[in-house]
Coordinates of all heavy atoms in Angstrom, one line a residue:
S1 N -50.9 117.4 74.7 CA -51.1 118.6 75.5 C -52.4 119.3 75.2 O -53.1 118.9 74.2 CB -49.9 119.5 75.3 OG -50.1 120.2 74.1
V2 N -52.7 120.2 76.0 CA -54.0 121.0 75.8 C -54.0 121.7 74.5 O -55.0 121.7 73.7 CB -54.3 121.9 77.0 CG1 -55.5 122.8 76.7 CG2 -54.4 121.2 78.3
A3 N -52.9 122.3 74.1 CA -52.8 123.1 72.9 C -53.0 122.2 71.7 O -53.7 122.6 70.7 CB -51.4 123.8 72.8
T4 N -52.4 121.0 71.7 CA -52.5 120.1 70.6 C -54.0 119.7 70.4 O -54.5 119.6 69.3 CB -51.6 118.8 70.8 OG1 -50.3 119.3 71.0 CG2 -51.8 117.9 69.7
K5 N -54.6 119.4 71.5 CA -56.1 119.0 71.5 C -56.9 120.1 70.9 O -57.8 119.9 70.1 CB -56.5 118.6 72.9 CG -56.0 117.3 73.3 CD -56.5 116.9 74.7 CE -55.9 115.6 75.1 NZ -56.3 115.2 76.5
A6 N -56.6 121.4 71.3 CA -57.4 122.5 70.8 C -57.2 122.7 69.3 O -58.2 122.9 68.6 CB -56.9 123.8 71.5
V7 N -56.0 122.5 68.8 CA -55.7 122.6 67.4 C -56.4 121.5 66.6 O -57.1 121.7 65.6 CB -54.2 122.6 67.1 CG1 -54.0 122.6 65.6 CG2 -53.5 123.8 67.7
K8 N -56.4 120.3 67.2 CA -57.0 119.1 66.5 C -58.5 119.3 66.5 O -59.2 119.0 65.5 CB -56.7 117.8 67.2 CG -55.3 117.3 66.9 CD -55.0 116.0 67.6 CE -53.6 115.5 67.3 NZ -53.3 114.2 68.0
N9 N -59.1 119.9 67.6 CA -60.5 120.1 67.6 C -60.9 121.2 66.6 O -61.9 121.0 65.8 CB -61.0 120.6 69.0 CG -61.0 119.5 70.0 OD1 -61.1 118.3 69.6 ND2 -60.9 119.8 71.3
A10 N -60.1 122.3 66.4 CA -60.4 123.3 65.5 C -60.2 122.7 64.0 O -61.0 123.0 63.2 CB -59.4 124.5 65.6
L11 N -59.2 121.9 63.8 CA -59.0 121.2 62.5 C -60.3 120.4 62.2 O -60.8 120.4 61.1 CB -57.8 120.3 62.6 CG -57.5 119.4 61.4 CD1 -57.2 120.2 60.2 CD2 -56.3 118.5 61.7
K12 N -60.7 119.6 63.1 CA -61.9 118.7 62.9 C -63.1 119.6 62.6 O -63.9 119.3 61.7 CB -62.2 117.9 64.1 CG -63.3 116.8 63.9 CD -63.2 115.7 64.8 CE -64.3 114.7 64.7 NZ -64.9 114.6 63.4
E13 N -63.3 120.7 63.3 CA -64.5 121.6 63.0 C -64.4 122.1 61.6 O -65.4 122.2 60.9 CB -64.5 122.8 64.0 CG -64.9 122.4 65.4 CD -64.8 123.5 66.4 OE1 -64.8 124.7 65.9 OE2 -64.8 123.3 67.6
I14 N -63.2 122.6 61.2 CA -63.0 123.1 59.8 C -63.4 122.1 58.8 O -64.1 122.3 57.8 CB -61.6 123.6 59.6 CG1 -61.4 124.9 60.5 CG2 -61.3 123.9 58.2 CD1 -59.9 125.3 60.5
I15 N -62.9 120.9 58.9 CA -63.1 119.8 58.0 C -64.6 119.4 58.0 O -65.2 119.1 56.9 CB -62.2 118.6 58.2 CG1 -60.8 119.0 57.8 CG2 -62.6 117.4 57.4 CD1 -59.7 118.0 58.1
D16 N -65.2 119.4 59.2 CA -66.6 119.0 59.2 C -67.5 120.0 58.5 O -68.6 119.7 58.0 CB -67.1 118.8 60.7 CG -66.5 117.6 61.3 OD1 -66.1 116.7 60.6 OD2 -66.6 117.5 62.6
S17 N -67.1 121.3 58.5 CA -67.9 122.3 58.0 C -67.6 122.7 56.5 O -68.2 123.6 55.9 CB -67.9 123.6 58.8 OG -66.6 124.1 58.8
E18 N -66.6 122.0 55.9 CA -66.1 122.4 54.6 C -67.2 121.9 53.5 O -68.0 121.0 53.8 CB -64.8 121.8 54.3 CG -64.8 120.3 54.1 CD -63.4 119.6 53.9 OE1 -62.4 120.3 53.9 OE2 -63.4 118.4 53.8
N19 N -67.1 122.5 52.3 CA -67.9 122.0 51.2 C -67.4 120.6 50.8 O -66.3 120.4 50.5 CB -67.7 123.0 50.1 CG -68.5 122.6 48.8 OD1 -69.0 121.5 48.7 ND2 -68.6 123.5 47.9
K20 N -68.3 119.7 51.0 CA -67.9 118.3 50.7 C -67.5 118.0 49.3 O -66.8 117.0 49.0 CB -69.1 117.3 51.1 CG -69.5 117.5 52.6 CD -68.3 117.3 53.6 CE -68.8 117.4 55.0 NZ -67.7 117.6 55.9
K21 N -68.0 118.8 48.4 CA -67.7 118.6 47.0 C -66.3 119.2 46.6 O -65.7 118.9 45.6 CB -68.7 119.2 46.0 CG -70.1 118.5 46.1 CD -71.1 119.1 45.2 CE -72.4 118.3 45.3 NZ -73.4 118.8 44.4
R22 N -65.9 120.2 47.5 CA -64.6 120.8 47.2 C -63.8 120.9 48.6 O -63.7 122.0 49.2 CB -64.8 122.2 46.7 CG -65.6 122.3 45.4 CD -64.8 122.7 44.2 NE -63.5 123.2 44.5 CZ -62.8 123.8 43.6 NH1 -63.2 124.1 42.5 NH2 -61.6 124.2 43.9
P23 N -63.3 119.8 49.1 CA -62.6 119.7 50.3 C -61.4 120.6 50.3 O -60.7 120.8 49.3 CB -62.2 118.3 50.5 CG -63.0 117.5 49.6 CD -63.4 118.4 48.4
L24 N -61.1 121.2 51.5 CA -59.9 122.1 51.6 C -58.6 121.3 51.7 O -58.6 120.3 52.3 CB -60.1 122.9 52.9 CG -61.3 123.8 53.0 CD1 -61.5 124.3 54.4 CD2 -61.2 124.9 52.0
G25 N -57.6 121.9 51.1 CA -56.3 121.3 51.2 C -55.6 121.7 52.5 O -56.1 122.6 53.2
D26 N -54.5 121.1 52.8 CA -53.8 121.4 54.0 C -53.4 122.8 54.1 O -53.4 123.4 55.2 CB -52.6 120.4 54.2 CG -53.0 119.0 54.4 OD1 -54.2 118.7 54.9 OD2 -52.2 118.1 54.2
G27 N -53.0 123.4 53.0 CA -52.5 124.8 53.0 C -53.7 125.7 53.3 O -53.5 126.7 54.1
A28 N -54.9 125.5 52.8 CA -56.0 126.3 53.1 C -56.5 126.1 54.5 O -56.8 127.1 55.2 CB -57.2 125.9 52.2
I29 N -56.4 124.9 55.0 CA -56.7 124.7 56.5 C -55.7 125.4 57.4 O -56.1 126.0 58.4 CB -56.7 123.2 56.8 CG1 -57.9 122.5 56.0 CG2 -56.9 122.9 58.3 CD1 -57.9 121.0 56.0
E30 N -54.4 125.4 57.0 CA -53.4 126.1 57.7 C -53.8 127.6 57.9 O -53.7 128.2 58.9 CB -52.1 126.0 57.0 CG -51.0 126.9 57.6 CD -49.8 127.0 56.7 OE1 -49.8 126.5 55.6 OE2 -48.8 127.7 57.2
K31 N -54.2 128.2 56.8 CA -54.6 129.6 56.8 C -55.8 129.9 57.7 O -55.8 130.9 58.4 CB -54.9 130.1 55.4 CG -53.6 130.2 54.5 CD -53.9 130.6 53.1 CE -52.6 130.7 52.3 NZ -52.8 131.0 50.9
L32 N -56.8 129.0 57.6 CA -58.0 129.2 58.5 C -57.6 129.0 60.0 O -58.1 129.7 60.8 CB -59.0 128.1 58.1 CG -59.7 128.4 56.7 CD1 -60.6 127.2 56.4 CD2 -60.5 129.7 56.8
L33 N -56.7 128.1 60.3 CA -56.3 127.9 61.7 C -55.5 129.1 62.1 O -55.6 129.6 63.3 CB -55.4 126.6 61.8 CG -56.1 125.3 61.7 CD1 -55.2 124.2 61.7 CD2 -57.1 125.2 63.0
K34 N -54.6 129.7 61.3 CA -53.9 130.9 61.6 C -54.8 132.1 61.9 O -54.6 132.9 62.8 CB -52.9 131.3 60.5 CG -51.7 130.4 60.6 CD -50.6 130.8 59.6 CE -49.4 129.8 59.8 NZ -48.3 130.1 58.9
A35 N -55.9 132.1 61.1 CA -56.9 133.2 61.3 C -57.6 133.0 62.7 O -58.1 134.0 63.3 CB -58.0 133.2 60.2
K36 N -57.7 131.8 63.1 CA -58.3 131.5 64.5 C -57.3 131.7 65.6 O -57.6 131.5 66.7 CB -58.9 130.1 64.5 CG -60.1 129.9 63.7 CD -60.7 128.5 63.9 CE -62.0 128.4 63.1 NZ -62.8 127.3 63.7
G37 N -56.0 132.0 65.2 CA -55.0 132.2 66.3 C -54.1 131.0 66.5 O -53.3 131.1 67.5
Y38 N -54.2 130.0 65.7 CA -53.3 128.8 65.9 C -52.2 128.9 64.9 O -52.4 128.8 63.7 CB -54.1 127.5 65.7 CG -55.2 127.3 66.7 CD1 -56.5 127.4 66.3 CD2 -55.0 127.0 68.0 CE1 -57.6 127.2 67.2 CE2 -56.0 126.9 68.9 CZ -57.3 127.0 68.5 OH -58.3 126.8 69.3
A39 N -50.9 129.1 65.4 CA -49.8 129.2 64.5 C -49.2 127.8 64.3 O -48.4 127.2 65.0 CB -48.7 130.0 65.1
V40 N -49.7 127.1 63.2 CA -49.2 125.8 62.8 C -48.8 125.8 61.4 O -49.4 126.5 60.6 CB -50.3 124.7 63.1 CG1 -50.7 124.6 64.5 CG2 -51.6 125.0 62.3
A41 N -47.9 124.9 61.0 CA -47.4 124.8 59.7 C -48.3 123.8 58.9 O -49.0 123.0 59.5 CB -46.0 124.3 59.7
R42 N -48.2 123.8 57.6 CA -49.0 122.9 56.8 C -48.7 121.5 57.1 O -49.6 120.6 57.1 CB -48.7 123.2 55.3 CG -49.6 122.3 54.3 CD -49.0 122.3 53.0 NE -47.6 121.8 52.9 CZ -47.2 120.6 53.1 NH1 -48.0 119.6 53.3 NH2 -45.9 120.3 53.1
R43 N -47.4 121.2 57.3 CA -47.0 119.8 57.6 C -47.6 119.4 59.0 O -47.9 118.2 59.1 CB -45.5 119.7 57.7 CG -44.9 119.9 56.3 CD -43.4 119.7 56.3 NE -42.8 118.5 57.0 CZ -42.8 117.3 56.4 NH1 -43.2 117.1 55.2 NH2 -42.3 116.3 57.1
T44 N -47.8 120.3 59.9 CA -48.4 120.0 61.2 C -49.9 119.7 60.9 O -50.4 118.8 61.5 CB -48.2 121.1 62.2 OG1 -46.8 121.4 62.3 CG2 -48.8 120.7 63.5
V45 N -50.5 120.4 60.1 CA -51.9 120.2 59.7 C -52.1 118.8 59.2 O -53.0 118.0 59.6 CB -52.5 121.2 58.7 CG1 -53.8 120.8 58.2 CG2 -52.5 122.6 59.3
A46 N -51.2 118.4 58.3 CA -51.2 117.1 57.7 C -51.0 116.0 58.7 O -51.7 115.0 58.7 CB -50.2 116.9 56.6
K47 N -50.1 116.2 59.6 CA -49.8 115.3 60.7 C -51.0 115.1 61.6 O -51.4 113.9 61.9 CB -48.6 115.8 61.5 CG -48.3 114.9 62.7 CD -47.1 115.6 63.5 CE -47.0 115.0 64.9 NZ -46.0 115.7 65.7
Y48 N -51.6 116.1 62.0 CA -52.8 116.0 62.9 C -54.0 115.4 62.2 O -54.7 114.6 62.7 CB -53.2 117.4 63.4 CG -52.2 118.0 64.5 CD1 -52.3 119.3 64.9 CD2 -51.2 117.2 65.0 CE1 -51.5 119.8 65.8 CE2 -50.3 117.8 65.9 CZ -50.5 119.1 66.3 OH -49.6 119.6 67.3
R49 N -54.1 115.8 60.9 CA -55.2 115.2 60.1 C -55.1 113.7 60.0 O -56.0 112.9 60.2 CB -55.2 115.8 58.7 CG -56.3 115.3 57.8 CD -56.2 116.0 56.4 NE -54.9 116.0 55.8 CZ -54.2 115.0 55.3 NH1 -54.8 113.8 55.4 NH2 -53.0 115.1 54.7
I50 N -53.8 113.2 59.8 CA -53.6 111.8 59.7 C -53.9 111.1 61.1 O -54.5 110.1 61.2 CB -52.2 111.5 59.2 CG1 -52.1 111.9 57.7 CG2 -51.8 110.0 59.4 CD1 -50.6 112.0 57.2
E51 N -53.4 111.8 62.2 CA -53.6 111.2 63.5 C -55.1 111.1 63.8 O -55.5 110.2 64.6 CB -52.9 112.1 64.5 CG -51.4 112.0 64.5 CD -50.7 112.9 65.5 OE1 -51.4 113.6 66.3 OE2 -49.5 112.9 65.5
L52 N -55.9 112.0 63.3 CA -57.4 112.0 63.5 C -58.1 111.0 62.5 O -59.3 110.8 62.6 CB -58.0 113.4 63.3 CG -57.6 114.4 64.4 CD1 -58.0 115.8 63.9 CD2 -58.2 114.0 65.7
G53 N -57.3 110.4 61.6 CA -57.9 109.4 60.7 C -58.7 110.1 59.6 O -59.6 109.5 59.0
I54 N -58.3 111.3 59.3 CA -59.0 112.0 58.2 C -58.1 112.0 56.9 O -56.9 112.3 57.0 CB -59.3 113.5 58.6 CG1 -60.1 113.5 59.9 CG2 -59.9 114.3 57.5 CD1 -60.2 114.9 60.5
G55 N -58.7 111.7 55.8 CA -58.0 111.5 54.6 C -57.6 112.9 54.0 O -58.0 114.0 54.5
S56 N -56.8 112.9 53.0 CA -56.4 114.1 52.3 C -57.6 114.7 51.5 O -58.6 114.0 51.4 CB -55.3 113.8 51.2 OG -55.8 112.9 50.2
S57 N -57.4 115.9 51.0 CA -58.6 116.5 50.3 C -59.0 115.6 49.1 O -60.1 115.5 48.8 CB -58.2 117.9 49.9 OG -57.1 117.9 49.0
T58 N -58.0 115.0 48.4 CA -58.3 114.2 47.3 C -59.1 112.9 47.8 O -60.1 112.5 47.1 CB -57.0 113.7 46.6 OG1 -56.2 114.9 46.3 CG2 -57.3 112.9 45.4
A59 N -58.7 112.3 48.9 CA -59.4 111.1 49.4 C -60.8 111.5 49.8 O -61.7 110.7 49.6 CB -58.6 110.5 50.5
R60 N -60.9 112.7 50.5 CA -62.2 113.1 51.0 C -63.1 113.4 49.8 O -64.3 113.1 49.8 CB -62.1 114.3 51.9 CG -61.4 114.0 53.2 CD -61.5 115.1 54.2 NE -61.3 116.4 53.8 CZ -60.1 117.1 53.8 NH1 -59.0 116.4 54.2 NH2 -60.1 118.3 53.5
R61 N -62.6 114.0 48.7 CA -63.4 114.3 47.5 C -63.9 113.0 46.9 O -65.0 112.8 46.5 CB -62.6 115.1 46.5 CG -63.4 115.5 45.3 CD -62.6 116.4 44.4 NE -61.9 117.5 45.0 CZ -60.6 117.7 45.0 NH1 -59.8 116.9 44.4 NH2 -60.1 118.8 45.7
A62 N -63.0 112.0 46.8 CA -63.3 110.7 46.2 C -64.4 110.0 47.0 O -65.3 109.4 46.5 CB -62.1 109.8 46.0
R63 N -64.2 110.0 48.3 CA -65.1 109.3 49.2 C -66.5 110.0 49.1 O -67.5 109.3 49.1 CB -64.7 109.5 50.7 CG -65.5 108.7 51.7 CD -65.1 108.9 53.1 NE -65.4 110.3 53.5 CZ -64.7 111.0 54.3 NH1 -63.6 110.6 54.8 NH2 -65.0 112.2 54.6
N64 N -66.6 111.3 49.0 CA -67.9 112.0 48.9 C -68.5 111.8 47.5 O -69.7 111.8 47.4 CB -67.7 113.5 49.2 CG -67.4 113.7 50.6 OD1 -67.9 113.0 51.5 ND2 -66.6 114.7 50.9
R65 N -67.7 111.6 46.5 CA -68.2 111.3 45.1 C -68.9 110.0 45.1 O -69.9 109.8 44.4 CB -67.0 111.4 44.1 CG -67.5 111.6 42.7 CD -66.4 111.7 41.8 NE -65.4 112.7 42.2 CZ -64.1 112.6 42.0 NH1 -63.6 111.6 41.4 NH2 -63.3 113.6 42.4
G66 N -68.4 109.0 45.9 CA -69.0 107.7 45.8 C -70.3 107.5 46.6 O -71.0 106.6 46.4
K67 N -70.7 108.6 47.3 CA -71.9 108.5 48.1 C -73.1 108.9 47.3 O -73.1 109.7 46.4 CB -71.8 109.4 49.3 CG -70.9 108.8 50.4 CD -70.9 109.6 51.6 CE -70.0 109.0 52.7 NZ -70.0 109.7 53.9

C-alpha cells in the first residue's frame, strides 16, 4: 500500500543518514518515525528493515568496520 511504501522510504532515509559508526537500533528508528508522524511499532520497523534487505544495527556496524 501507499502508507507502507511511505514508511519504508522514511526508514531508508533514516538509515542512509545515520552515523555509520553508531547505527541506530530499531527502537531509536521507531522513535524517529513517530516524530515524523508514522505510528509504527519496533517490530514493524524490524520487519520493514528486513524486507528492504537492511541488516540489524549490529550487522551494519560490523559491515562498516570492515571497510
Side-chain angles (χ1 to χ4, degrees):
S1 80
V2 175
T4 302
K5 288 181 183 176
V7 173
K8 285 182 179 180
N9 286 338
L11 172 66
K12 186 157 175 31
E13 287 177 18
I14 290 170
I15 291 175
D16 287 345
S17 65
E18 73 187 356
N19 180 345
K20 302 303 179 197
K21 293 182 181 181
R22 301 252 348 196
L24 300 169
D26 293 338
I29 293 170
E30 172 197 4
K31 290 177 182 176
L32 291 172
L33 287 171
K34 283 186 179 178
K36 290 185 174 202
Y38 299 108
V40 295
R42 182 200 54 79
R43 290 181 52 82
T44 304
V45 171
K47 175 183 165 185
Y48 289 171
R49 180 180 48 70
I50 291 166
E51 288 177 5
L52 291 169
I54 300 169
S56 66
S57 60
T58 306
R60 294 192 313 271
R61 185 177 307 122
R63 184 184 72 217
N64 291 325
R65 200 175 309 144
K67 288 185 178 179

